[in-house]
PDB file of all heavy atoms in Angstrom:
ATOM      1  N   TYR K 137     -12.507  25.869   7.627  1.00 98.00           N
ATOM      2  CA  TYR K 137     -11.617  26.695   8.451  1.00 98.00           C
ATOM      3  C   TYR K 137     -12.269  27.338   9.646  1.00 98.00           C
ATOM      4  O   TYR K 137     -11.699  28.167  10.324  1.00 98.00           O
ATOM      5  CB  TYR K 137     -10.939  27.740   7.461  1.00 98.00           C
ATOM      6  CG  TYR K 137     -10.204  27.093   6.350  1.00 98.00           C
ATOM      7  CD1 TYR K 137     -10.877  26.969   5.074  1.00 98.00           C
ATOM      8  CD2 TYR K 137      -9.009  26.506   6.536  1.00 98.00           C
ATOM      9  CE1 TYR K 137     -10.256  26.249   4.052  1.00 98.00           C
ATOM     10  CE2 TYR K 137      -8.371  25.857   5.485  1.00 98.00           C
ATOM     11  CZ  TYR K 137      -8.982  25.651   4.196  1.00 98.00           C
ATOM     12  OH  TYR K 137      -8.393  25.052   3.183  1.00 98.00           O
ATOM     13  N   LYS K 138     -13.598  26.866   9.847  1.00 98.00           N
ATOM     14  CA  LYS K 138     -14.367  27.546  10.881  1.00 98.00           C
ATOM     15  C   LYS K 138     -14.250  29.088  10.820  1.00 98.00           C
ATOM     16  O   LYS K 138     -14.051  29.759  11.798  1.00 98.00           O
ATOM     17  CB  LYS K 138     -13.930  27.033  12.245  1.00 98.00           C
ATOM     18  CG  LYS K 138     -14.057  25.548  12.395  1.00 98.00           C
ATOM     19  CD  LYS K 138     -13.526  24.878  13.729  1.00 98.00           C
ATOM     20  CE  LYS K 138     -14.412  25.255  14.880  1.00 98.00           C
ATOM     21  NZ  LYS K 138     -14.001  24.438  16.058  1.00 98.00           N
ATOM     22  N   ALA K 139     -14.362  29.563   9.561  1.00 98.00           N
ATOM     23  CA  ALA K 139     -14.331  30.966   9.339  1.00 98.00           C
ATOM     24  C   ALA K 139     -15.533  31.689  10.017  1.00 98.00           C
ATOM     25  O   ALA K 139     -16.598  31.181   9.972  1.00 98.00           O
ATOM     26  CB  ALA K 139     -14.199  31.346   7.882  1.00 98.00           C
ATOM     27  N   THR K 140     -15.263  32.850  10.592  1.00 98.00           N
ATOM     28  CA  THR K 140     -16.340  33.638  11.192  1.00 98.00           C
ATOM     29  C   THR K 140     -16.959  34.641  10.248  1.00 98.00           C
ATOM     30  O   THR K 140     -18.045  35.153  10.470  1.00 98.00           O
ATOM     31  CB  THR K 140     -15.805  34.293  12.506  1.00 98.00           C
ATOM     32  OG1 THR K 140     -14.691  35.058  12.128  1.00 98.00           O
ATOM     33  CG2 THR K 140     -15.498  33.282  13.589  1.00 98.00           C
ATOM     34  N   HIS K 141     -16.125  35.209   9.349  1.00 98.00           N
ATOM     35  CA  HIS K 141     -16.562  36.284   8.489  1.00 98.00           C
ATOM     36  C   HIS K 141     -16.228  35.973   7.010  1.00 98.00           C
ATOM     37  O   HIS K 141     -15.181  35.438   6.731  1.00 98.00           O
ATOM     38  CB  HIS K 141     -15.899  37.579   8.899  1.00 98.00           C
ATOM     39  CG  HIS K 141     -16.317  38.073  10.250  1.00 98.00           C
ATOM     40  ND1 HIS K 141     -15.889  37.492  11.428  1.00 98.00           N
ATOM     41  CD2 HIS K 141     -17.267  38.980  10.616  1.00 98.00           C
ATOM     42  CE1 HIS K 141     -16.476  38.154  12.441  1.00 98.00           C
ATOM     43  NE2 HIS K 141     -17.311  39.019  11.951  1.00 98.00           N
ATOM     44  N   VAL K 142     -17.136  36.400   6.109  1.00 98.00           N
ATOM     45  CA  VAL K 142     -16.952  36.095   4.693  1.00 98.00           C
ATOM     46  C   VAL K 142     -17.315  37.372   3.897  1.00 98.00           C
ATOM     47  O   VAL K 142     -18.450  37.724   3.637  1.00 98.00           O
ATOM     48  CB  VAL K 142     -17.870  34.967   4.245  1.00 98.00           C
ATOM     49  CG1 VAL K 142     -17.533  34.550   2.826  1.00 98.00           C
ATOM     50  CG2 VAL K 142     -17.682  33.743   5.126  1.00 98.00           C
ATOM     51  N   PRO K 143     -16.213  38.166   3.460  1.00 98.00           N
ATOM     52  CA  PRO K 143     -16.437  39.344   2.731  1.00 98.00           C
ATOM     53  C   PRO K 143     -16.622  39.029   1.196  1.00 98.00           C
ATOM     54  O   PRO K 143     -15.823  38.418   0.596  1.00 98.00           O
ATOM     55  CB  PRO K 143     -15.184  40.170   2.937  1.00 98.00           C
ATOM     56  CG  PRO K 143     -14.210  39.213   3.305  1.00 98.00           C
ATOM     57  CD  PRO K 143     -14.827  38.002   3.818  1.00 98.00           C
ATOM     58  N   VAL K 144     -17.908  39.396   0.722  1.00 98.00           N
ATOM     59  CA  VAL K 144     -18.243  39.103  -0.699  1.00 98.00           C
ATOM     60  C   VAL K 144     -19.073  40.203  -1.295  1.00 98.00           C
ATOM     61  O   VAL K 144     -19.515  41.022  -0.549  1.00 98.00           O
ATOM     62  CB  VAL K 144     -19.032  37.756  -0.797  1.00 98.00           C
ATOM     63  CG1 VAL K 144     -18.198  36.544  -0.628  1.00 98.00           C
ATOM     64  CG2 VAL K 144     -20.241  37.770   0.267  1.00 98.00           C
ATOM     65  N   GLY K 145     -19.295  40.058  -2.627  1.00 98.00           N
ATOM     66  CA  GLY K 145     -20.275  41.012  -3.245  1.00 98.00           C
ATOM     67  C   GLY K 145     -21.751  40.505  -2.939  1.00 98.00           C
ATOM     68  O   GLY K 145     -21.935  39.366  -2.456  1.00 98.00           O
ATOM     69  N   GLU K 146     -22.718  41.432  -3.306  1.00 97.00           N
ATOM     70  CA  GLU K 146     -24.091  41.046  -3.011  1.00 97.00           C
ATOM     71  C   GLU K 146     -24.598  39.770  -3.579  1.00 97.00           C
ATOM     72  O   GLU K 146     -25.482  39.094  -2.943  1.00 97.00           O
ATOM     73  CB  GLU K 146     -24.897  42.280  -3.513  1.00 97.00           C
ATOM     74  CG  GLU K 146     -26.128  42.642  -2.716  1.00 97.00           C
ATOM     75  CD  GLU K 146     -27.357  42.267  -3.465  1.00 97.00           C
ATOM     76  OE1 GLU K 146     -27.208  42.071  -4.668  1.00 97.00           O
ATOM     77  OE2 GLU K 146     -28.336  42.186  -2.827  1.00 97.00           O
TER      78      GLU K 146
END
Side-chain angles (χ1 to χ4, degrees):
Y137 303 96
K138 300 175 75 169
T140 52
H141 292 80
V142 186
V144 284
E146 211 252 344

